[in-house]
Amino acid sequence: MLEADKLFSGSIPENYDRFMVPLIFEPFAANLAQRAASFSPSAVLEVAAGTGVVTRALAPRLSPGASYVVTDLNQPMLDYAASRQAPDGRIQWRQADAMALPFEDAAFDLVCCQFGAMFFPSRPSAYREARRVLKPGGRFLFNVWDRIEENVFADDVTNALARIFPNDPPRFLARTPHGYHDTALIRSDLDEAGFSTVAIDTRAEQSHASSPRIPAVAYCQGTVLRTEIEARDPGKLDAATDYAASAIEQRHGSGAVAAKIQAHVIVATV
């Protein structure tokens, strides 16, 4: 992962929430929230919360007396998440780095993270931090994307951009969001961090959009892929988005489109 892969700023948070969240994140957020609530936690920490799709799904499922600390490395993402959340006295918003959590040992029953682990500079170190702040018997619940070939629109966009920039193809999607999919490696990293049991469930969903342009805009302008495109040619963002849309249309049709998305859901217990 490159350092720039972590910079969700400018207009990216708004485009991310407007396009990416309904396209690929909402189905997995609902699943993660359901799993989290089934543990009946009284103290929850969410790391790498992004624009708050899990927060919005999970908060209504928690007990009235629960505490819920929501964090992200990127303050613009966290600010946007807070702006989307209904007033809730149980929720505390904190800018925080998953690599160095500003919380005491054994403070939480549950740590959850949706599609953030791929961005951690050292996963075992971040996992040790999650374990440190968990109470005995606490759970670390998170998900990561499977390989890009199992996530069709992301693969379509990546392949389209490689044709536009053949000498230096933008590889953000394959490199980072879809770069941590080896379940054996995930288990090894969690074992290294000291978790006692690890369960991994590979889950497929469908990504839906009203037109081919929606996934093209979502990936090209709602992720750090935008930064990569503009770094290669500052004036080519719209043309690259149009080309990605045409590639999706050629493969999936000109009307409403749907394609497979797939991720691993992990529960690690202290």
Side-chain angles (χ1 to χ4, degrees), residues 45-193:
L45 170 64
E46 184 179 350
V47 298
T51 56
V53 61
V54 171
T55 315
R56 294 191 291 274
L58 178 54
R61 294 174 173 267
L62 297 176
S63 68
S67 65
Y68 190 179
V69 182
V70 183
T71 70
D72 196 87
L73 178 65
N74 291 278
Q75 189 66 47
M77 296 288 270
L78 198 63
D79 291 343
Y80 195 89
S83 76
R84 291 289 315 276
Q85 185 70 39
D88 191 329
R90 300 170 302 169
I91 299 177
Q92 178 185 359
W93 305 92
R94 291 276 301 270
Q95 191 278 335
D97 186 344
M99 305 295 296
L101 294 170
F103 307 108
E104 296 181 356
D105 296 356
F108 299 97
D109 305 302
L110 175 70
V111 174
C112 65
C113 178
Q114 166 139 296
F115 300 122
M118 308 90 68
F119 295 88
F120 298 156
S122 168
R123 283 111 188 182
S125 296
Y127 297 165
R128 278 191 290 271
E129 274 293 272
R131 186 183 182 280
R132 179 184 66 78
V133 302
L134 280 167
K135 299 174 184 178
R139 297 176 176 89
F140 180 30
L141 169 66
F142 68 103
N143 52 19
V144 298
W145 292 115
D146 202 349
R147 64 196 187 104
I148 196 167
E149 293 82 2
E150 300 291 349
N151 291 270
V152 176
F153 288 146
D155 199 35
D156 290 341
V157 170
T158 298
N159 292 334
L161 294 180
R163 293 191 290 273
I164 299 177
F165 302 102
N167 296 325
D168 187 15
R171 295 290 296 168
F172 165 71
L173 295 176
R175 179 179 62 249
T176 299
H178 297 281
Y180 185 58
H181 54 77
D182 184 336
T183 55
L185 176 59
I186 295 167
R187 287 184 184 277
S188 174
D189 287 346
L190 288 163
D191 288 344
E192 183 179 339

Side-chain angles (χ1 to χ4, degrees), residues 31-32 35 141-143 199-203 263-267:
N31 176 258
L32 213 67
R35 292 174 189 251
L141 169 66
F142 68 103
N143 52 19
I200 301 178
D201 175 29
T202 299
R203 183 178 182 87
H264 304 305
V265 185
I266 302 101
V267 181

